Amino acid sequence: MRRKVSIIGAGNVGASTAQRILEKELANVVLVDVVEGLPQGKALDLAESAPVEGFDCFSIGTNTYEDTANSDVVVITAGLARKPGMSRDDLIMANFEIVRSVTAEVSKKSPSSVIIIVTNPMDVMTYVAAVESRFPKNRVIGMGGILDSARFRAFISMELGVSIENIHAMVLGGHGDDMVPLPRYTTVAGIPIIELIPSDKIDAIIKRTRDGGAEIVGLLKTGSAYYAPSSAVVEMVEAIIKDKKKILPCAAYLDGRYGVRGIYAGVPVKLGRGGVEDILELKLTDEEMAAFLRSVDSVRKGIEKLKMDVTGG
Ligand code: APR
């Protein structure tokens, strides 16, 4: 039986995610948006590309949640995107209300689904969705680490002139300005980049990775990145639907791992049908751990801004 993925928010990230899922024939797609006609128009346009692209999965667009029932995976991209000069945290209050209301709807209709959160600030919004859905925490996951690692890999490939297929990278922590790219765990054909690239160049690549989202916002001016974010979402969707047990950096709920409790942050996880099936604990140096904890602290501050509302107090 064909799988079903519902994507809430039929904007740039949502529509690109739908396109990639359909073209890979991973699942049928339901696109939901508050704007009337937008999800219907994009879903129909995608369906009309099927004869040329040669996929048999279908897409529908809607402004209600009926058709999302019994989804295997729900991707939440609904919310506002950044404008130049804004940080991801500037979106917190507006996107909080949106993610909370969307999660209430999708969790009722698809109680066995895995929810992937894209809306920024992503780590905080993932926490919001986990609380609102009351799902087991391993079935609510944030998309950030794959995107940040993809940017890191792209810049390393540009620096060394080698295939991106040879490059594996690891970025830990929150999907924010203080994310933690880890050169020691980043390799080219198995060789750590610290043996291949001078340290000042690595520092510059790390800085560009951290600012990667803002670099795109600065160029686009009217919105934020969506090609690389949608690719990252689809890698997660594929790992879940195909039960691949793939190791990927994602925002997962930490309950003591890395010495952190009660928060979502980016760590390497094993992704399969059950969502996060395991969390891998990397051995970090004191310096790396301090950077990770700083990043986690920023996420915690974001959550604290919402605490009264999230806990209903
Ligand atoms: N329910 C459903 N859809 C909603 C809701 C809601 N309550 N509120 C807003 N939307 C829709 C908007 O109508 C819009 O079509 O979410 C969509 C967001 O699309 P874009 O503005 O194109 O933003 P996008 O680039 O897709 O980014 C979405 O992902 O990367 C993050 O920071 C980014 O938070 C942003 C999110």
Side-chain angles (χ1 to χ4, degrees), residues 8-14 32-35 38 65 77-82 91 95 98 101-102 118-120 224-226 229:
I8 320 304
N12 284 334
V13 179
V32 182
D33 203 286
V34 280
V35 178
L38 180 78
Y65 286 84
T77 76
L80 307 181
R82 283 197 278 175
L91 303 169
N95 285 349
I98 293 172
S101 64
V102 165
V118 182
T119 306
N120 274 315
S224 54
Y226 51 99

Side-chain angles (χ1 to χ4, degrees), residues 11-300:
N12 284 334
V13 179
S16 313
T17 301
Q19 180 182 356
R20 294 188 194 286
I21 289 173
L22 292 169
E23 289 181 357
K24 288 181 174 233
E25 288 195 314
L26 292 176
N28 295 330
V29 170
V30 180
L31 268 176
V32 182
D33 203 286
V34 280
V35 178
E36 275 180 35
L38 180 78
Q40 291 88 346
K42 291 194 179 180
L44 181 59
D45 196 6
L46 283 165
E48 291 168 359
S49 75
V52 182
E53 294 297 332
F55 59 80
D56 285 309
C57 292
F58 65 82
S59 48
I60 53 172
T62 170
N63 303 114
T64 65
Y65 286 84
E66 303 309 318
D67 290 319
T68 68
N70 301 318
S71 297
D72 297 282
V73 179
V74 175
V75 180
I76 300 181
T77 76
L80 307 181
R82 283 197 278 175
K83 299 270 158 48
M86 288 173 87
S87 80
R88 293 179 180 91
D89 282 345
D90 291 334
L91 303 169
I92 203 164
M93 290 320 289
N95 285 349
F96 168 47
E97 290 302 339
I98 293 172
V99 169
R100 192 153 75 155
S101 64
V102 165
T103 304
E105 297 281 357
V106 296
S107 54
K108 257 186 282 167
K109 291 276 182 297
S110 301
S112 307
S113 61
V114 176
I115 300 180
I116 298 175
I117 301 294
V118 182
T119 306
N120 274 315
M122 179 278 295
D123 307 271
V124 179
M125 293 302 134
T126 308
Y127 181 90
V128 169
V131 172
E132 187 65 37
S133 66
R134 296 168 193 260
F135 279 12
K137 301 279 194 295
N138 61 310
R139 284 204 281 118
V140 183
I141 317 167
M143 187 291 293
I146 301 174
L147 171 60
D148 299 328
S149 307
R151 287 180 172 144
F152 198 21
R153 289 164 67 194
F155 300 144
I156 292 165
S157 165
M158 291 172 200
E159 173 65 27
L160 293 176
V162 300
S163 167
I164 46 97
E165 288 182 34
N166 288 130
I167 303 170
H168 289 271
M170 185 53 69
V171 180
L172 295 188
H175 177 55
D177 298 338
D178 43 17
M179 66 180 76
V180 190
L182 285 181
R184 277 193 326 120
Y185 285 99
T186 298
T187 57
V188 179
I191 306 165
I193 57 162
I194 46 181
E195 292 175 23
L196 298 171
I197 306 176
S199 66
D200 58 327
K201 286 246 166 71
I202 293 179
D203 289 346
I205 291 173
I206 286 176
K207 182 170 179 343
R208 193 172 178 195
T209 302
R210 288 206 176 107
D211 297 341
E215 185 177 359
I216 304 278
V217 172
L219 291 165
L220 295 181
K221 297 183 184 68
T222 53
S224 54
Y226 51 99
Y227 291 118
S230 57
S231 292
V233 174
V234 175
E235 186 167 30
M236 293 171 72
V237 169
E238 184 169 21
I240 294 164
I241 279 180
K242 294 186 177 171
D243 195 24
K244 284 177 81 81
K245 320 285 189 201
K246 196 166 184 180
I247 310 300
L248 294 165
C250 299
Y253 187 72
L254 296 176
D255 199 9
R257 301 290 185 100
Y258 290 87
V260 175
R261 216 169 265 286
I263 206 170
Y264 273 86
V267 288
V269 305
K270 181 160 89 177
L271 264 196
R273 193 70 198 93
V276 170
E277 297 184 353
D278 200 5
I279 291 175
L280 278 72
E281 233 166 325
L282 301 177
K283 288 203 178 79
L284 300 180
T285 63
D286 290 349
E287 205 183 324
E288 288 163 348
M289 185 52 112
F292 177 72
L293 293 178
R294 262 198 309 279
S295 177
V296 165
D297 204 44
S298 301
V299 178
R300 201 181 291 282

